[in-house]
Amino acid sequence: MHDGAMVEVAAGVHLVHGSNTNWVILTEGDAVTLVDTGYPSDRQAVLASLDALGHSPKAVTGVLITHAHNDHLGSAEYLSSTFGIPIHLHEAELPHARREFLHQVSIGQVMRQAWRPGVLPWALHAIKSGGKADVHMTRPEPFPKEGALDLPGRPVPVHTPGHTAGHCVFHLPDAGILISGDALVSGHPTSRVRGPQLLPAMFDAERAKARASLAHIEALAADVLLPGHGPVHHGPVREAARRARELAS
């Protein structure tokens, strides 16, 4: 799937493939919710994907971030400071977004895995794309309420810690869709496995919690998975989560 490719998953729901990372656009009339923002180098692709759907950044009523790694947070501060768009994350992820600490795979950890197929090309791409850039946020905000948010798509945040402490997936119950970020993916350049899986263990801050969070995903009624990495996955999300648990080390 080439960079910038957009897939219409349902009415008002589009998955966009950036450079190794996906984001999701939810539209309702003239209003937009953006879920994740790719790498810093994906900024023009993010803006182009909005434009392709007939929207300017000013139509974005809120940005939801699954977690504060550089390949998902890349343009959040830009969108906040330039257009005044509120950026929402789970409360436990706010200090991570402010870069009071950084739970992200280190270059040393990556290099110890460099013998694995795909790891070195991915690492070089990540660095080139801004994987080590300063993307810290000045005003990240917690979700304004429990349950469905008053944003286009009415996404429901579900806390799925493990990859990071405040990782969240976003459930679209009416559409039967789950936006899963990095809690459950369908592929990654460093993985030989295709289909639903956890990311390789080196990417998770707390692997045991990442596995345990699959139970939260299993409980959600959805049959379309929009992951942070990999293609759209069709089929019961509960089965996808079970498969990921069976594969996980």
Side-chain angles (χ1 to χ4, degrees):
M1 189 69 70
H2 63 85
D3 292 357
M6 186 184 302
V7 180
E8 183 175 14
V9 182
V13 182
H14 291 80
L15 180 76
V16 187
H17 295 280
S19 58
N20 286 354
T21 307
N22 304 329
W23 56 90
V24 177
I25 300 172
L26 306 176
T27 56
E28 206 171 273
D30 294 331
V32 174
T33 302
L34 177 63
V35 184
D36 285 342
T37 67
Y39 277 104
S41 68
D42 285 325
R43 181 174 302 168
Q44 290 308 314
V46 170
L47 297 175
S49 64
L50 292 170
D51 184 64
L53 294 172
H55 298 289
S56 77
K58 294 179 181 177
V60 180
T61 54
V63 174
L64 303 178
I65 301 292
T66 57
H67 65 295
H69 282 157
N70 277 35
D71 58 333
H72 298 259
L73 194 66
S75 286
E77 180 66 15
Y78 164 78
L79 292 169
S80 172
S81 61
T82 307
F83 302 102
I85 303 167
I87 314 292
H88 297 287
L89 306 91
H90 188 274
E91 189 173 8
E93 198 72 1
L94 296 178
H96 196 198
R98 292 190 293 261
R99 287 299 183 259
E100 293 171 21
F101 56 82
L102 177 60
H103 283 164
Q104 187 162 289
V105 67
S106 70
I107 290 176
Q109 288 171 302
V110 171
M111 293 315 294
R112 284 193 290 275
Q113 301 291 325
W115 59 274
R116 293 181 180 274
V119 169
L120 204 54
W122 169 83
L124 294 171
H125 171 273
I127 292 168
K128 179 183 171 187
S129 302
K132 303 297 287 184
D134 179 8
V135 298
H136 83 277
M137 292 210 62
T138 53
R139 295 184 306 278
E141 300 177 28
F143 302 125
K145 57 181 281 193
E146 295 280 329
L149 302 177
D150 295 325
L151 292 169
R154 300 294 176 265
V156 180
V158 179
H159 188 204
T160 49
H163 183 63
T164 63
H167 190 290
C168 268
V169 300
F170 298 100
H171 188 208
L172 311 179
D174 293 344
I177 292 170
L178 182 67
I179 303 168
S180 60
D182 285 3
L184 179 61
V185 301
S186 63
H188 192 267
T190 64
S191 173
R192 289 179 169 183
V193 179
R194 294 182 181 274
Q197 60 189 288
L198 291 180
L199 285 170
M202 68 175 173
F203 292 110
D204 289 334
E206 295 183 80
R207 185 64 162 187
K209 284 189 177 179
R211 288 187 69 183
S213 284
L214 290 170
H216 302 309
I217 292 173
E218 267 186 70
L220 301 173
D223 51 21
V224 180
L225 181 72
L226 307 186
H229 303 276
V232 177
H233 176 76
H234 295 275
V237 167
R238 66 177 178 275
E239 291 179 12
R242 284 177 195 153
R243 179 182 189 265
R245 184 185 292 108
E246 289 166 5
L247 288 170
S249 55

